[in-house]
Short mmCIF file of all heavy atoms in Angstrom, two decimals:
data_model
loop_
_atom_site.label_atom_id
_atom_site.label_comp_id
_atom_site.label_asym_id
_atom_site.label_seq_id
_atom_site.Cartn_x
_atom_site.Cartn_y
_atom_site.Cartn_z
N ARG A 169 13.42 -19.93 -16.71
CA ARG A 169 14.75 -19.45 -17.06
C ARG A 169 14.73 -17.93 -17.37
O ARG A 169 13.96 -17.47 -18.20
CB ARG A 169 15.25 -20.22 -18.27
CG ARG A 169 16.66 -19.89 -18.70
CD ARG A 169 17.07 -20.83 -19.84
NE ARG A 169 18.34 -20.45 -20.42
CZ ARG A 169 19.52 -20.74 -19.88
NH1 ARG A 169 19.57 -21.42 -18.75
NH2 ARG A 169 20.64 -20.36 -20.45
N ASN A 170 15.57 -17.20 -16.65
CA ASN A 170 15.73 -15.74 -16.86
C ASN A 170 14.45 -14.93 -16.63
O ASN A 170 14.34 -13.80 -17.12
CB ASN A 170 16.25 -15.46 -18.28
CG ASN A 170 17.61 -16.08 -18.53
OD1 ASN A 170 18.41 -16.24 -17.60
ND2 ASN A 170 17.89 -16.43 -19.78
N TYR A 171 13.51 -15.48 -15.87
CA TYR A 171 12.24 -14.76 -15.67
C TYR A 171 12.48 -13.41 -14.97
O TYR A 171 11.98 -12.38 -15.42
CB TYR A 171 11.28 -15.63 -14.83
CG TYR A 171 9.85 -15.13 -14.85
CD1 TYR A 171 9.00 -15.44 -15.91
CD2 TYR A 171 9.35 -14.35 -13.81
CE1 TYR A 171 7.69 -14.98 -15.94
CE2 TYR A 171 8.04 -13.90 -13.84
CZ TYR A 171 7.21 -14.21 -14.90
OH TYR A 171 5.93 -13.75 -14.93
N LEU A 172 13.28 -13.45 -13.90
CA LEU A 172 13.61 -12.21 -13.18
C LEU A 172 14.48 -11.31 -14.07
O LEU A 172 14.23 -10.09 -14.17
CB LEU A 172 14.35 -12.52 -11.88
CG LEU A 172 14.90 -11.31 -11.10
CD1 LEU A 172 13.75 -10.45 -10.58
CD2 LEU A 172 15.78 -11.78 -9.94
N HIS A 173 15.48 -11.88 -14.71
CA HIS A 173 16.40 -11.09 -15.56
C HIS A 173 15.63 -10.35 -16.65
O HIS A 173 15.90 -9.17 -16.92
CB HIS A 173 17.44 -12.02 -16.21
CG HIS A 173 18.31 -12.75 -15.24
ND1 HIS A 173 17.84 -13.78 -14.45
CD2 HIS A 173 19.62 -12.60 -14.91
CE1 HIS A 173 18.83 -14.24 -13.68
NE2 HIS A 173 19.92 -13.55 -13.94
N ASN A 174 14.68 -11.03 -17.27
CA ASN A 174 13.89 -10.39 -18.33
C ASN A 174 13.16 -9.15 -17.82
O ASN A 174 13.14 -8.10 -18.46
CB ASN A 174 12.84 -11.36 -18.89
CG ASN A 174 13.41 -12.36 -19.87
OD1 ASN A 174 14.63 -12.54 -19.95
ND2 ASN A 174 12.54 -13.00 -20.65
N PHE A 175 12.55 -9.30 -16.64
CA PHE A 175 11.75 -8.18 -16.12
C PHE A 175 12.67 -7.02 -15.69
O PHE A 175 12.35 -5.85 -15.95
CB PHE A 175 10.87 -8.64 -14.95
CG PHE A 175 9.83 -7.61 -14.57
CD1 PHE A 175 8.73 -7.38 -15.37
CD2 PHE A 175 9.97 -6.86 -13.40
CE1 PHE A 175 7.77 -6.43 -15.03
CE2 PHE A 175 9.01 -5.91 -13.06
CZ PHE A 175 7.92 -5.68 -13.87
N VAL A 176 13.79 -7.35 -15.07
CA VAL A 176 14.72 -6.30 -14.64
C VAL A 176 15.27 -5.55 -15.86
O VAL A 176 15.35 -4.32 -15.87
CB VAL A 176 15.87 -6.89 -13.79
CG1 VAL A 176 16.94 -5.84 -13.51
CG2 VAL A 176 15.32 -7.46 -12.48
N GLN A 177 15.63 -6.31 -16.92
CA GLN A 177 16.11 -5.66 -18.14
C GLN A 177 15.01 -4.78 -18.75
O GLN A 177 15.28 -3.68 -19.24
CB GLN A 177 16.56 -6.70 -19.17
CG GLN A 177 17.16 -6.08 -20.44
CD GLN A 177 18.40 -5.25 -20.16
OE1 GLN A 177 19.37 -5.74 -19.61
NE2 GLN A 177 18.36 -3.96 -20.51
N SER A 178 13.77 -5.24 -18.69
CA SER A 178 12.65 -4.46 -19.22
C SER A 178 12.48 -3.15 -18.46
O SER A 178 12.14 -2.12 -19.06
CB SER A 178 11.35 -5.28 -19.18
OG SER A 178 11.48 -6.46 -19.95
N ILE A 179 12.73 -3.18 -17.15
CA ILE A 179 12.69 -1.94 -16.35
C ILE A 179 13.78 -0.99 -16.84
O ILE A 179 13.51 0.17 -17.17
CB ILE A 179 12.87 -2.23 -14.85
CG1 ILE A 179 11.66 -2.96 -14.26
CG2 ILE A 179 13.12 -0.92 -14.08
CD1 ILE A 179 11.85 -3.40 -12.81
N PHE A 180 15.03 -1.47 -16.89
CA PHE A 180 16.14 -0.59 -17.28
C PHE A 180 15.97 -0.09 -18.72
O PHE A 180 16.26 1.08 -19.01
CB PHE A 180 17.48 -1.30 -17.10
CG PHE A 180 17.89 -1.45 -15.65
CD1 PHE A 180 18.31 -2.68 -15.16
CD2 PHE A 180 17.85 -0.36 -14.78
CE1 PHE A 180 18.68 -2.82 -13.82
CE2 PHE A 180 18.21 -0.49 -13.45
CZ PHE A 180 18.62 -1.72 -12.96
N SER A 181 15.48 -0.94 -19.61
CA SER A 181 15.29 -0.53 -21.01
C SER A 181 14.17 0.49 -21.17
O SER A 181 14.10 1.18 -22.19
CB SER A 181 15.00 -1.76 -21.89
OG SER A 181 16.09 -2.65 -21.88
N SER A 182 13.30 0.58 -20.16
CA SER A 182 12.21 1.56 -20.20
C SER A 182 12.69 2.97 -19.83
O SER A 182 11.96 3.94 -19.99
CB SER A 182 11.08 1.14 -19.26
OG SER A 182 10.53 -0.10 -19.67
#
Side-chain angles (χ1 to χ4, degrees):
R169 184 175 172 80
N170 299 330
Y171 194 82
L172 174 66
H173 299 71
N174 281 16
F175 192 73
V176 172
Q177 184 61 58
S178 300
I179 291 174
F180 287 131
S181 298
S182 298

